[in-house]
Amino acid sequence: MNYESLTIEAKTVLLTFYKAYCQRIKNGESRLNAREFQDFYSVRQEYFSDWTNIDDLLDAVNELSRQKWFNIEYSNNVPTIITLKTESIAFMQTRFSRGLKQAIDELSKIKSLIF
């Protein structure tokens, strides 16, 4: 796991998942449930509707899996369950020690580079 070696697209996906995780925790979900995202197409619709090319999103998700940020279960080569690893959450909590707003600020900066 090396954050600096990730593409801008992968960082955007990771930060978006971390933001969603934090919001789920704030809404009372368990840590276990908050880390798990089901159905790639639903995830795309809810969090990445501004991505016009679904293959770019799939590539970024797969990059995060290869680099050990996510655990992914597949069906027909499409992610069915994407789980944010606890090591990823710990890294993000340390990197953004001033809280979620700091992570959201970085997400905004990064998104401006690709959209």
Side-chain angles (χ1 to χ4, degrees):
M1 288 179 29
N2 181 351
Y3 185 78
E4 299 309 319
S5 72
L6 295 173
T7 62
I8 291 169
E9 294 82 3
K11 287 178 183 177
T12 301
V13 171
L14 178 61
L15 285 161
T16 301
F17 272 72
Y18 179 66
K19 176 184 171 187
Y21 165 81
C22 291
Q23 290 171 332
R24 289 172 167 191
I25 294 292
K26 185 177 180 179
N27 291 336
E29 287 190 45
S30 70
R31 289 182 52 210
L32 183 63
N33 288 340
R35 312 187 290 119
E36 190 172 285
F37 298 82
Q38 296 198 13
D39 182 28
F40 176 76
Y41 298 104
S42 296
V43 166
R44 179 182 184 231
Q45 185 175 356
E46 185 170 351
Y47 301 107
F48 302 100
S49 59
D50 54 346
W51 289 51
T52 56
N53 190 327
I54 195 168
D55 290 334
D56 290 343
L57 177 57
L58 184 57
D59 185 58
V61 167
N62 286 329
E63 177 184 344
L64 289 161
S65 176
R66 284 190 308 273
Q67 297 229 9
K68 310 293 188 224
W69 295 89
F70 289 167
N71 282 331
I72 298 181
E73 293 179 30
Y74 291 90
S75 177
N76 297 322
N77 293 324
V78 177
T80 53
I81 300 174
I82 304 168
T83 304
L84 188 58
K85 293 178 76 171
T86 54
E87 297 88 349
S88 303
I89 294 166
F91 173 87
M92 300 300 271
Q93 290 170 337
T94 301
R95 180 173 176 92
F96 302 108
S97 59
R98 292 193 310 262
L100 183 57
K101 182 177 180 342
Q102 186 182 8
I104 292 171
D105 289 346
E106 178 153 329
L107 177 58
S108 295
K109 286 181 209 171
I110 290 174
K111 281 182 89 171
S112 72
L113 297 173
I114 57 174
F115 294 111

